[in-house]
């Protein structure tokens, strides 16, 4: 997820890994305008929840983010594992295979991506 060069990790830090993954799952591959004050019926609020959408708007309101396809970055996968999600739940959340999750968590350099 990039907005003006913002790395995925920055959005994960801002929103938390679960909301960042939800953003990628809902809007992956799209340019997404972030309203300055999202309403409860906005698609962003439906995907992330009101609090996370407001956090995103506080930082990026009035700009457009390029949201990548949710392949599942290694940092996202590790963060969700630290939160206690199962390997299968992580794979579903970030849109990758369970095998990819295992590779990332095992430290396989081929899985970094």
């Amino acid at each position: 997820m990039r907005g003006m060069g913002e790395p995925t990790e920055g959005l994960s830090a801002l929103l938390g890994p679960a909301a960042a993954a939800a953003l990628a799952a809902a809007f992956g591959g799209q340019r997404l305008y972030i309203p300055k004050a999202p309403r409860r019926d906005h698609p962003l609020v439906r995907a992330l929840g009101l609090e996370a959408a407001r956090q995103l708007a506080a930082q990026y309101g009035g700009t457009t983010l390029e949201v990548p396809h949710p392949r599942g970055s290694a940092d996202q996968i590790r963060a969700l594992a630290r939160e206690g999600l199962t390997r299968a739940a992580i794979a579903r959340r970030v849109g990758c295979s369970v095998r990819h999750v295992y590779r990332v968590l095992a430290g396989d350099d081929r899985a970094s991506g």
Side-chain angles (χ1 to χ4, degrees):
M1 290 160 272
R2 290 177 180 82
M4 315 299 175
E6 180 69 17
T8 302
E9 295 76 27
L11 289 173
S12 288
L14 175 67
L15 302 174
L23 180 67
F27 302 104
Q30 301 177 41
R31 292 180 57 107
L32 177 65
Y33 176 77
I34 308 300
K36 291 182 180 181
R39 296 181 172 188
R40 291 184 186 276
D41 63 340
H42 192 277
L44 188 61
V45 174
R46 287 195 299 268
L48 305 181
L50 185 59
E51 184 58 33
R54 285 182 176 165
Q55 288 174 325
L56 190 63
Q59 184 76 27
Y60 297 102
T63 66
T64 300
L65 294 178
E66 292 183 28
V67 185
H69 289 284
R71 168 81 163 93
S73 78
D75 289 337
Q76 269 185 316
I77 290 169
R78 287 185 197 103
L80 291 168
R82 283 192 299 274
E83 287 184 11
L85 274 71
T86 66
R87 302 323 189 228
I90 293 168
R92 282 191 302 275
R93 184 82 53 96
V94 302
C96 68
S97 69
V98 174
R99 181 181 186 131
H100 179 69
V101 172
Y102 274 100
R103 272 189 258 160
V104 167
L105 296 177
D108 186 339
D109 290 337
R110 297 173 296 168
S112 320

